[in-house]
Amino acid sequence: MQKQKIDPLYLVLHSDYDSVFCGLFRGTTQLAYAKEHKIQASKNLMSVLVTLLAQESISWTDLDFIGVNRGPGPFTTLRVVITTINGLLFSHSIPLVGVDGLKAFVADYQSPELVVALLNAFNNDVYFAIKHTNGKITTGWEFNATFLHTLHTTHANDPITFIGNGITLHKEKILNLFPHASIANPLPATASFETIAKCAVAQWNTNESKQEPLLPLYLKTLEYKEST
């Protein structure tokens, strides 16, 4: 049975479309922080983590868990981060907490309206998350025009707030189909590092850590798939 601490000591790793973010926390207090460009992450990430722990005179065995954004997002960056974390699991038996970055992103955005988050899935596809007014969240991926058309057939007259870096890529189509929709300003591109950290410790406190390797959350499959 997992032993919980009032103020767990843990690392959090989060990647977006440009960078990898690393933080060391005790409870909700951030003790140390580092940021590395994604191009350098495969070479430097382990050194960055070692430096973070050394700054606070902490060893790997002191950590209660490691939280990580599992995606979706740029797949190469996700693989670098998650492979590194899985290596720490194998070498030091540190429990892992995997956070669904897309669900965390849309769940953390406060609005009484329907909230639609779109992330760039490349090749004109989008990762999407829909937070319905009853709090239910639906996620998946689709060709951008197909997703927007489907959304229009079901929510053409509903108040909608759009967020995510996919909005910038497909803004013209969105405004044509949803002229009364709101595009958040400033526009959050992805889940923030703070959101991922908050979700990680919340999942730890509800015993959602794992003593097994994590896999990237890569929603693209050979066929369209939606999850709830």
PDB file of all heavy atoms in Angstrom, residues 124-137:
ATOM      1  N   ASN A 124      -2.424  18.991 -40.556  1.00  0.00           N
ATOM      2  CA  ASN A 124      -3.790  19.522 -40.534  1.00  0.00           C
ATOM      3  C   ASN A 124      -4.735  18.746 -39.632  1.00  0.00           C
ATOM      4  O   ASN A 124      -5.954  18.890 -39.737  1.00  0.00           O
ATOM      5  CB  ASN A 124      -4.372  19.598 -41.953  1.00  0.00           C
ATOM      6  CG  ASN A 124      -3.856  20.798 -42.712  1.00  0.00           C
ATOM      7  OD1 ASN A 124      -3.817  21.902 -42.176  1.00  0.00           O
ATOM      8  ND2 ASN A 124      -3.437  20.589 -43.952  1.00  0.00           N
ATOM      9  N   ASP A 125      -4.188  17.921 -38.752  1.00  0.00           N
ATOM     10  CA  ASP A 125      -4.999  17.260 -37.722  1.00  0.00           C
ATOM     11  C   ASP A 125      -4.953  18.079 -36.439  1.00  0.00           C
ATOM     12  O   ASP A 125      -4.056  18.897 -36.237  1.00  0.00           O
ATOM     13  CB  ASP A 125      -4.459  15.856 -37.430  1.00  0.00           C
ATOM     14  CG  ASP A 125      -4.632  14.899 -38.598  1.00  0.00           C
ATOM     15  OD1 ASP A 125      -5.566  15.116 -39.404  1.00  0.00           O
ATOM     16  OD2 ASP A 125      -3.832  13.953 -38.711  1.00  0.00           O
ATOM     17  N   VAL A 126      -5.922  17.824 -35.564  1.00  0.00           N
ATOM     18  CA  VAL A 126      -5.935  18.472 -34.248  1.00  0.00           C
ATOM     19  C   VAL A 126      -6.184  17.429 -33.172  1.00  0.00           C
ATOM     20  O   VAL A 126      -6.917  16.460 -33.380  1.00  0.00           O
ATOM     21  CB  VAL A 126      -7.012  19.576 -34.146  1.00  0.00           C
ATOM     22  CG1 VAL A 126      -6.659  20.760 -35.029  1.00  0.00           C
ATOM     23  CG2 VAL A 126      -8.406  19.049 -34.477  1.00  0.00           C
ATOM     24  N   TYR A 127      -5.534  17.610 -32.025  1.00  0.00           N
ATOM     25  CA  TYR A 127      -5.960  16.942 -30.802  1.00  0.00           C
ATOM     26  C   TYR A 127      -7.029  17.839 -30.202  1.00  0.00           C
ATOM     27  O   TYR A 127      -6.847  19.059 -30.131  1.00  0.00           O
ATOM     28  CB  TYR A 127      -4.809  16.806 -29.813  1.00  0.00           C
ATOM     29  CG  TYR A 127      -3.615  16.057 -30.310  1.00  0.00           C
ATOM     30  CD1 TYR A 127      -2.376  16.695 -30.443  1.00  0.00           C
ATOM     31  CD2 TYR A 127      -3.693  14.707 -30.633  1.00  0.00           C
ATOM     32  CE1 TYR A 127      -1.265  16.015 -30.885  1.00  0.00           C
ATOM     33  CE2 TYR A 127      -2.582  14.013 -31.078  1.00  0.00           C
ATOM     34  CZ  TYR A 127      -1.365  14.677 -31.200  1.00  0.00           C
ATOM     35  OH  TYR A 127      -0.269  13.996 -31.644  1.00  0.00           O
ATOM     36  N   PHE A 128      -8.120  17.254 -29.760  1.00  0.00           N
ATOM     37  CA  PHE A 128      -9.176  18.094 -29.207  1.00  0.00           C
ATOM     38  C   PHE A 128      -9.611  17.607 -27.831  1.00  0.00           C
ATOM     39  O   PHE A 128      -9.515  16.415 -27.504  1.00  0.00           O
ATOM     40  CB  PHE A 128     -10.388  18.155 -30.139  1.00  0.00           C
ATOM     41  CG  PHE A 128     -11.140  16.852 -30.284  1.00  0.00           C
ATOM     42  CD1 PHE A 128     -12.092  16.468 -29.343  1.00  0.00           C
ATOM     43  CD2 PHE A 128     -10.912  16.013 -31.366  1.00  0.00           C
ATOM     44  CE1 PHE A 128     -12.795  15.278 -29.472  1.00  0.00           C
ATOM     45  CE2 PHE A 128     -11.601  14.815 -31.496  1.00  0.00           C
ATOM     46  CZ  PHE A 128     -12.548  14.447 -30.555  1.00  0.00           C
ATOM     47  N   ALA A 129     -10.057  18.557 -27.040  1.00  0.00           N
ATOM     48  CA  ALA A 129     -10.722  18.255 -25.772  1.00  0.00           C
ATOM     49  C   ALA A 129     -11.925  19.170 -25.671  1.00  0.00           C
ATOM     50  O   ALA A 129     -11.817  20.375 -25.923  1.00  0.00           O
ATOM     51  CB  ALA A 129      -9.786  18.462 -24.590  1.00  0.00           C
ATOM     52  N   ILE A 130     -13.049  18.609 -25.312  1.00  0.00           N
ATOM     53  CA  ILE A 130     -14.282  19.379 -25.138  1.00  0.00           C
ATOM     54  C   ILE A 130     -14.724  19.239 -23.682  1.00  0.00           C
ATOM     55  O   ILE A 130     -14.965  18.121 -23.216  1.00  0.00           O
ATOM     56  CB  ILE A 130     -15.405  18.877 -26.063  1.00  0.00           C
ATOM     57  CG1 ILE A 130     -14.963  18.912 -27.531  1.00  0.00           C
ATOM     58  CG2 ILE A 130     -16.677  19.702 -25.875  1.00  0.00           C
ATOM     59  CD1 ILE A 130     -15.936  18.222 -28.473  1.00  0.00           C
ATOM     60  N   LYS A 131     -14.787  20.359 -22.983  1.00  0.00           N
ATOM     61  CA  LYS A 131     -15.341  20.336 -21.628  1.00  0.00           C
ATOM     62  C   LYS A 131     -16.775  20.824 -21.716  1.00  0.00           C
ATOM     63  O   LYS A 131     -17.037  22.001 -21.987  1.00  0.00           O
ATOM     64  CB  LYS A 131     -14.533  21.206 -20.668  1.00  0.00           C
ATOM     65  CG  LYS A 131     -15.076  21.143 -19.232  1.00  0.00           C
ATOM     66  CD  LYS A 131     -14.149  21.784 -18.218  1.00  0.00           C
ATOM     67  CE  LYS A 131     -14.100  23.286 -18.351  1.00  0.00           C
ATOM     68  NZ  LYS A 131     -13.352  23.932 -17.229  1.00  0.00           N
ATOM     69  N   HIS A 132     -17.706  19.913 -21.487  1.00  0.00           N
ATOM     70  CA  HIS A 132     -19.122  20.233 -21.582  1.00  0.00           C
ATOM     71  C   HIS A 132     -19.566  20.989 -20.333  1.00  0.00           C
ATOM     72  O   HIS A 132     -18.871  21.004 -19.308  1.00  0.00           O
ATOM     73  CB  HIS A 132     -19.928  18.949 -21.764  1.00  0.00           C
ATOM     74  CG  HIS A 132     -19.534  18.178 -22.987  1.00  0.00           C
ATOM     75  ND1 HIS A 132     -20.134  18.358 -24.212  1.00  0.00           N
ATOM     76  CD2 HIS A 132     -18.571  17.246 -23.184  1.00  0.00           C
ATOM     77  CE1 HIS A 132     -19.578  17.561 -25.117  1.00  0.00           C
ATOM     78  NE2 HIS A 132     -18.622  16.870 -24.512  1.00  0.00           N
ATOM     79  N   THR A 133     -20.703  21.613 -20.427  1.00  0.00           N
ATOM     80  CA  THR A 133     -21.169  22.441 -19.315  1.00  0.00           C
ATOM     81  C   THR A 133     -21.492  21.614 -18.067  1.00  0.00           C
ATOM     82  O   THR A 133     -21.568  22.155 -16.971  1.00  0.00           O
ATOM     83  CB  THR A 133     -22.417  23.251 -19.729  1.00  0.00           C
ATOM     84  OG1 THR A 133     -23.407  22.348 -20.261  1.00  0.00           O
ATOM     85  CG2 THR A 133     -22.059  24.268 -20.806  1.00  0.00           C
ATOM     86  N   ASN A 134     -21.647  20.294 -18.225  1.00  0.00           N
ATOM     87  CA  ASN A 134     -21.871  19.421 -17.061  1.00  0.00           C
ATOM     88  C   ASN A 134     -20.556  18.920 -16.465  1.00  0.00           C
ATOM     89  O   ASN A 134     -20.565  18.107 -15.533  1.00  0.00           O
ATOM     90  CB  ASN A 134     -22.769  18.243 -17.430  1.00  0.00           C
ATOM     91  CG  ASN A 134     -22.146  17.327 -18.481  1.00  0.00           C
ATOM     92  OD1 ASN A 134     -21.014  17.548 -18.926  1.00  0.00           O
ATOM     93  ND2 ASN A 134     -22.879  16.307 -18.890  1.00  0.00           N
ATOM     94  N   GLY A 135     -19.430  19.385 -17.025  1.00  0.00           N
ATOM     95  CA  GLY A 135     -18.120  19.004 -16.513  1.00  0.00           C
ATOM     96  C   GLY A 135     -17.493  17.813 -17.205  1.00  0.00           C
ATOM     97  O   GLY A 135     -16.300  17.540 -17.012  1.00  0.00           O
ATOM     98  N   LYS A 136     -18.255  17.082 -18.000  1.00  0.00           N
ATOM     99  CA  LYS A 136     -17.712  15.932 -18.721  1.00  0.00           C
ATOM    100  C   LYS A 136     -16.696  16.405 -19.752  1.00  0.00           C
ATOM    101  O   LYS A 136     -16.885  17.429 -20.418  1.00  0.00           O
ATOM    102  CB  LYS A 136     -18.833  15.164 -19.415  1.00  0.00           C
ATOM    103  CG  LYS A 136     -18.364  13.960 -20.214  1.00  0.00           C
ATOM    104  CD  LYS A 136     -19.524  13.280 -20.922  1.00  0.00           C
ATOM    105  CE  LYS A 136     -19.043  12.115 -21.789  1.00  0.00           C
ATOM    106  NZ  LYS A 136     -20.154  11.471 -22.516  1.00  0.00           N
ATOM    107  N   ILE A 137     -15.609  15.644 -19.901  1.00  0.00           N
ATOM    108  CA  ILE A 137     -14.554  15.992 -20.858  1.00  0.00           C
ATOM    109  C   ILE A 137     -14.404  14.864 -21.864  1.00  0.00           C
ATOM    110  O   ILE A 137     -14.304  13.688 -21.510  1.00  0.00           O
ATOM    111  CB  ILE A 137     -13.211  16.237 -20.140  1.00  0.00           C
ATOM    112  CG1 ILE A 137     -13.309  17.473 -19.249  1.00  0.00           C
ATOM    113  CG2 ILE A 137     -12.080  16.402 -21.149  1.00  0.00           C
ATOM    114  CD1 ILE A 137     -12.076  17.733 -18.415  1.00  0.00           C
TER     115      ILE A 137
END
